[in-house]
Amino acid sequence: MGDAGLENEPLVRPPSQSLAVEARGQSRRLPDFLQSVNLKYVKLGYHYLITHLLTLLLIPFMVVILLEAARIDPENLRQLWLHLQYNLVSILVCSAVLVFGTTVYIMTRPRPVYLVDHACYCPPDSLKVRFSQFMEHSRLCGNFNESALEFQRKILERSGLGEETYVPDAMHYLPPRPSMAAARDEAEQVMFGALDKLFRNSGVKPKDVGILVVNCSLFNPTPSLSSMIVNRYKLRGNIRSFNLGGMGCSAGVIAVDLARDLLQVHRNTYAVVVSTENITQNWYFGNRKSMLIPNCLFRVGCSAVLLSNRSADQRRAKYRLIHVVRTHRGADHKAFRCVYQEQDDDGKVGVSLSKDLMAIAGGALKTNITTLGPLVLPFSEQLLFFATLFAKKLFNAKVKPYIPDFKLAFEHFCIHAGGRAVVDELEKNLQLQPIHVEASRMTLHRFGNTSSSSIWYELSYIEAKGRMRKGNRVWQIAFGSGFKCNSAVWQALRNVNQSPGGPWEDCIHRYPVEIVDGIPQN
């Protein structure tokens, strides 16, 4: 379940499995990654930038040509025309080169990808679970000992979650009924709920969709979730469908990246990206504390995103995709094992969390933002950053690197609401203001950790608040098992308001709420 372990609640270590305890408090915090920047990741960011060098050079070249052409008087133009009349071969050669060059440029340049609309599923009130209900249900089901129950109570109290989050229908029964049929029902409920809303608001017919990407980390039945959608909406027979599993909470950005690559190849089509996680069959019924956190944090949710490469959609689209930067630390064994699905000593399946999780997350984040920086930061910030970086490398190892101000690159931040600790640490390390992480904190409070869909609930929050203006840039960043850190950058094409039926439609007036030490204040 991705990065459930990013919550910083101290744990009592079970044999061979633990998170950090109070004596090792530092390991529960993100390292001060901006104080130890690796130059190779800066180079990687400029490698991405240089791929657009032809476009960057062509623009000033065309401006110079136009300025020079404007200075030519009519007599010079007449003499040029007379000269060209006697050089037909030269004209034909130059024209052929120009046509060939223009054709190559048009065929090879990246096609813009637009976000036409997005929708988030809002479960019915019958699925809401208050803290007192959660604890009473856990006690009555008889699977947890007193130590595990007390641990869950502490996690809930300090998690940043509110009293209106949702768990699936199967978990409301006593005893719970986690079956394959119930898991399928949950998947259908959340996916179809989000997609119905998306098609209704966008006006796009399901038959017009040419690409479908579904990501769900822990529930991958046969036929696949993508096939369930194809069957429900009778999508066309030549649809290019993909089902991503086991990729954690950052899989939503991975799915967008895959859809973007496909839209570069297939012209004039729509792509739908569905991001969710299934709770029903992945509830942990054991007593290992490192596996109990997902029970406390993960909640029902799903998002559906409609992407397009059609130029006609530019006017009505909400955003344009600017960058996707993906970081994978799976080559390192500790990073690979830090979020790991396995059985406990009693044979009960859950997701175990390593004590090194926060340090590994910090390393992945450092790599990701160092690569992203050259793509998005203003030149002044990059100049200051490089000046102090080289001074540190060449003259004095104690020189403190300049910390780039990412607030100059982005107006809005959608930090995956995996847990209170990661939001707090990113706020501190990136020197953000409370308003920049408000969407993440309020999403965690209202909906809990909805895995890969959480960044879309956060974007909906910003829209519902009326804060998204034309030209604003949005940074979505998410962590996931493997271990991965992925970023997506969007730019608003117009002033954006929340679409009808949005997840915050009936409650945005109550937010933000004040949260102190993870506890919502009345």
Side-chain angles (χ1 to χ4, degrees):
M1 283 192 174
D3 60 337
L6 294 178
E7 178 60 43
N8 69 349
E9 175 65 22
L11 304 182
V12 178
R13 290 183 292 172
S16 75
Q17 290 292 336
S18 69
L19 293 177
V21 294
E22 286 296 338
R24 297 180 182 178
Q26 282 300 108
S27 66
R28 301 198 320 274
R29 303 176 65 86
L30 286 178
D32 198 359
F33 48 85
L34 290 173
Q35 304 304 318
S36 56
V37 177
N38 195 322
L39 189 59
K40 70 178 182 180
Y41 300 124
V42 180
K43 293 178 181 177
L44 182 59
Y46 280 97
H47 169 73
Y48 291 150
L49 185 64
I50 210 70
T51 58
H52 302 287
L53 182 62
L54 179 61
T55 302
L56 296 174
L57 294 178
L58 185 61
I59 293 174
F61 179 69
M62 293 299 294
V63 171
V64 170
I65 291 177
L66 291 173
L67 290 176
E68 289 297 323
R71 295 168 58 181
I72 299 176
D73 58 45
E75 179 61 25
N76 289 339
L77 287 175
R78 191 179 71 84
Q79 293 296 329
L80 178 62
W81 172 250
L82 292 174
H83 175 73
L84 292 176
Q85 283 182 319
Y86 299 101
N87 292 273
L88 183 59
V89 175
S90 299
I91 295 175
L92 292 176
V93 171
C94 291
S95 299
V97 171
L98 181 62
V99 170
F100 177 77
T102 303
T103 302
V104 170
Y105 171 72
I106 292 174
M107 294 297 293
T108 58
R109 70 184 179 93
R111 296 183 178 88
V113 173
Y114 304 109
L115 191 160
V116 179
D117 207 348
H118 62 97
C120 297
Y121 175 68
C122 190
D125 289 346
S126 60
L127 298 185
K128 285 183 180 179
V129 56
R130 300 178 63 85
F131 289 175
S132 58
Q133 292 174 301
F134 182 97
M135 291 308 304
E136 182 67 14
H137 193 278
S138 297
R139 181 174 291 104
L140 292 175
C141 76
N143 295 99
F144 307 107
N145 59 34
E146 286 301 319
S147 177
L149 289 170
E150 178 62 16
F151 176 77
Q152 291 181 79
R153 184 187 65 79
K154 290 182 178 179
I155 288 289
L156 282 173
E157 289 178 351
R158 305 174 189 179
S159 64
L161 272 68
E163 298 274 9
E164 295 183 286
T165 59
Y166 307 88
V167 297
D169 185 63
M171 309 314 298
H172 282 269
Y173 289 95
L174 275 174
R177 302 176 182 177
S179 64
M180 174 63 78
R184 284 183 181 274
D185 287 342
E186 181 194 347
E188 291 177 353
Q189 185 181 35
V190 301
M191 293 192 306
F192 300 162
L195 285 167
D196 287 347
K197 194 180 303 181
L198 180 69
F199 289 132
R200 181 172 62 251
N201 290 341
S202 67
V204 172
K205 298 178 181 178
K207 286 286 186 181
D208 294 333
V209 176
I211 298 166
L212 174 64
V213 184
V214 180
N215 68 270
C216 181
S217 188
L218 294 175
F219 181 61
N220 293 284
T222 300
S224 66
L225 298 178
S226 60
S227 294
M228 292 166 62
I229 294 174
V230 172
N231 177 260
R232 163 65 181 265
Y233 293 97
K234 309 304 177 187
L235 302 183
R236 61 199 199 194
N238 65 343
I239 190 167
R240 294 161 180 88
S241 64
F242 300 84
N243 204 95
L244 307 181
M247 305 193 79
C249 297
S250 67
V253 177
I254 297 173
V256 166
D257 190 34
L258 175 59
R260 179 190 65 168
D261 289 345
L262 292 166
L263 287 170
Q264 296 303 313
V265 179
H266 304 285
R267 294 175 173 272
N268 297 318
T269 191
Y270 290 106
V272 169
V273 175
V274 179
S275 300
T276 188
E277 188 54 271
N278 193 278
I279 309 297
T280 298
Q281 279 201 315
N282 296 291
W283 202 269
Y284 176 61
F285 290 100
N287 292 297
R288 182 182 289 182
K289 292 182 173 60
S290 61
M291 293 181 172
L292 283 170
I293 292 179
N295 289 10
C296 301
L297 297 183
F298 277 86
R299 295 294 185 263
V300 172
C302 180
S303 65
V305 180
L306 179 65
L307 304 176
S308 172
N309 59 10
R310 295 155 49 104
S311 57
D313 286 320
Q314 181 177 1
R315 282 190 171 185
R316 72 185 187 115
K318 288 185 173 183
Y319 306 94
R320 182 167 67 92
L321 182 59
I322 308 299
H323 301 294
V324 175
V325 174
R326 293 167 55 180
T327 300
H328 203 310
R329 300 294 296 273
D332 177 76
H333 190 65
K334 283 188 176 180
F336 174 72
R337 288 291 303 249
C338 71
V339 180
Y340 203 78
Q341 186 180 23
E342 61 181 351
Q343 291 178 318
D344 64 12
D345 296 335
D346 298 321
K348 297 177 179 179
V349 177
V351 177
S352 64
L353 308 169
S354 166
K355 60 182 175 61
D356 300 317
L357 179 56
M358 290 301 288
I360 291 167
L365 178 62
K366 180 181 73 173
T367 303
N368 191 269
I369 69 170
T370 307
T371 304
L372 181 66
L375 301 176
V376 298
L377 287 170
F379 180 75
S380 59
E381 287 296 296
Q382 297 189 45
L383 188 63
L384 289 169
F385 173 76
F386 266 108
T388 55
L389 179 62
F390 278 110
K392 178 180 176 66
K393 296 291 183 182
L394 298 177
F395 304 111
N396 188 346
K398 295 183 179 180
V399 172
K400 189 175 182 180
Y402 175 73
I403 301 175
D405 187 358
F406 279 87
K407 297 188 295 295
L408 297 176
F410 306 107
E411 286 76 26
H412 306 286
F413 298 78
C414 295
I415 301 167
H416 165 54
R420 176 174 57 91
V422 70
V423 177
D424 291 345
E425 289 299 312
L426 275 172
E427 178 185 14
K428 184 182 76 173
N429 276 277
L430 296 180
Q431 299 180 348
L432 304 178
Q433 300 299 319
I435 193 171
H436 295 129
V437 294
E438 180 182 308
S440 300
R441 286 204 175 102
M442 297 308 105
T443 295
L444 184 64
H445 176 270
R446 177 64 181 86
F447 295 100
N449 181 349
T450 60
S451 190
S452 55
S453 64
S454 69
I455 53 178
W456 298 104
Y457 285 87
E458 293 165 21
L459 187 58
S460 294
Y461 180 89
I462 297 169
E463 294 174 356
K465 280 293 183 181
R467 297 172 181 169
M468 189 64 69
R469 318 309 295 173
K470 182 178 181 180
N472 282 182
R473 293 150 297 179
V474 186
W475 181 13
Q476 293 180 320
I477 184 166
F479 301 89
S481 57
F483 190 86
K484 299 179 287 293
C485 177
N486 300 318
S487 293
V489 178
W490 305 85
Q491 184 171 36
L493 298 176
R494 54 185 171 86
N495 295 343
V496 181
N497 296 316
Q498 182 177 229
S499 298
W504 300 92
E505 192 172 61
D506 63 343
C507 62
I508 191 63
H509 61 282
R510 296 191 274 116
Y511 286 89
V513 298
E514 185 180 4
I515 299 177
V516 179
D517 294 329
I519 303 174
Q521 305 298 300
N522 295 328

